Amino acid sequence: GQSLEQPSEVTAVEGAIVQINCTYQTSGFYGLSWYQQHDGGAPTFLSYNALDGLEETGRFSSFLSRSDSYGYLLLQELQMKDSASYFCAVWGSQGNLIFGKGTKLSVKP
Amino acid sequence: DSGVTQTPKHLITATGQRVTLRCSPRSGDLSVYWYQQSLDQGLQFLIQYYNGEERAKGNILERFSAQQFPDLHSELNLSSLELGDSALYFCASSVQGDNEQFFGPGTRLTVL
């Protein structure tokens, strides 16, 4: 089966950098995705990593190490609007996404 | 706006009842996914359809069923509802083989 572990909560201040870690166990690996969800809103796609290394998209970056079954999402120059839940997800063998329980990020002024 | 629509936005019903949630995917997307999100829980994958055919099944209860119609919209049917079925139900769609799923705004189901 598949499982993902990520911290339940993280707090940081505006302008800072925060890293949200995700470790996964999966019988077959097809990629690690990250989604953002504001309270009461729909999840929105942030990034996808299939190969080892860092992918950068503006203030957000995502890293993957397949040998360690580990990835992280890095958020730089934090803004108040970044307060949300962040989910890592792996692709299952049937082509569906398996989500972690999410990390609630609170950005303080 | 993701381009995925879901109706209704809110639904309040009683235990034992049956409801139908509706989803229209983005234009051109053949894959539709259903997820359940309970309070403080992650997104639990329920079921996936691709071009009318069931493609993958997750933690979907036998009381729940879904289908995708020829026009690609999908419906999720929940029957013999229990209090624990109260949750946000999301539909998502994607292009086959694409890594990004686009989520609808969700249907908030409350079972009293």
Side-chain angles (χ1 to χ4, degrees):
Chain A
Q2 286 111 340
S3 67
L4 299 101
E5 294 287 331
Q6 52 181 129
S8 58
E9 292 184 31
V10 172
T11 301
V13 296
E14 231 179 339
I17 299 172
V18 72
Q19 179 174 310
I20 299 174
N21 299 319
C22 174
T23 56
Y24 59 86
Q25 277 188 306
T26 180
S27 51
F29 183 74
Y30 304 93
L32 182 72
S33 295
W34 288 92
Y35 282 76
Q36 178 193 60
Q37 185 182 29
H38 287 97
D39 277 349
T44 55
F45 174 82
L46 291 177
S47 68
Y48 169 76
N49 295 66
L51 302 176
D52 290 353
L54 191 69
E55 297 273 346
E56 298 180 59
T57 310
R59 294 187 298 113
F60 293 3
S61 304
S62 56
F63 172 82
L64 175 66
S65 169
R66 288 175 297 169
S67 60
D68 296 321
S69 296
Y70 163 76
Y72 65 73
L73 181 68
L74 190 73
L75 298 87
Q76 302 181 75
E77 300 170 23
L78 279 173
Q79 302 176 9
M80 297 298 290
K81 67 178 181 179
D82 298 329
S83 292
S85 290
Y86 293 84
F87 295 88
C88 58
V90 292
W91 286 90
S93 57
Q94 293 178 298
N96 58 291
L97 272 176
I98 313 294
F99 283 84
K101 290 192 181 300
T103 298
K104 185 164 185 170
L105 170 64
S106 298
V107 180
K108 307 292 187 188
Chain B
D1 184 357
S2 67
V4 178
T5 61
Q6 289 186 248
T7 57
K9 197 170 176 64
H10 300 278
L11 199 48
I12 301 174
T13 188
T15 54
Q17 295 299 304
R18 183 179 192 275
V19 297
T20 297
L21 313 184
R22 184 188 166 104
C23 167
S24 291
R26 288 189 324 155
S27 177
D29 286 356
L30 300 181
S31 287
V32 169
Y33 309 79
W34 285 98
Y35 295 89
Q36 179 193 59
Q37 186 174 39
S38 304
L39 194 64
D40 296 328
Q41 291 292 310
L43 290 144
Q44 298 291 317
F45 169 69
L46 296 177
I47 198 163
Q48 178 200 356
Y49 279 83
Y50 175 74
N51 202 21
E53 300 288 326
E54 183 184 302
R55 174 62 65 93
K57 217 166 186 177
N59 301 319
I60 187 165
L61 299 171
E62 284 194 15
R63 299 183 286 109
F64 296 0
S65 65
Q67 55 184 324
Q68 187 179 26
F69 295 86
D71 67 353
L72 300 178
H73 92 271
S74 178
E75 293 182 356
L76 179 67
N77 301 295
L78 316 175
S79 61
S80 303
L81 284 168
E82 301 175 359
L83 297 178
D85 297 328
S86 296
L88 257 175
Y89 290 85
F90 285 104
C91 162
S93 74
S94 72
V95 175
Q96 180 62 15
D98 199 4
N99 303 314
E100 181 175 357
Q101 290 188 9
F102 295 86
F103 282 76
T107 293
R108 183 172 293 281
L109 173 66
T110 303
V111 183
L112 300 175

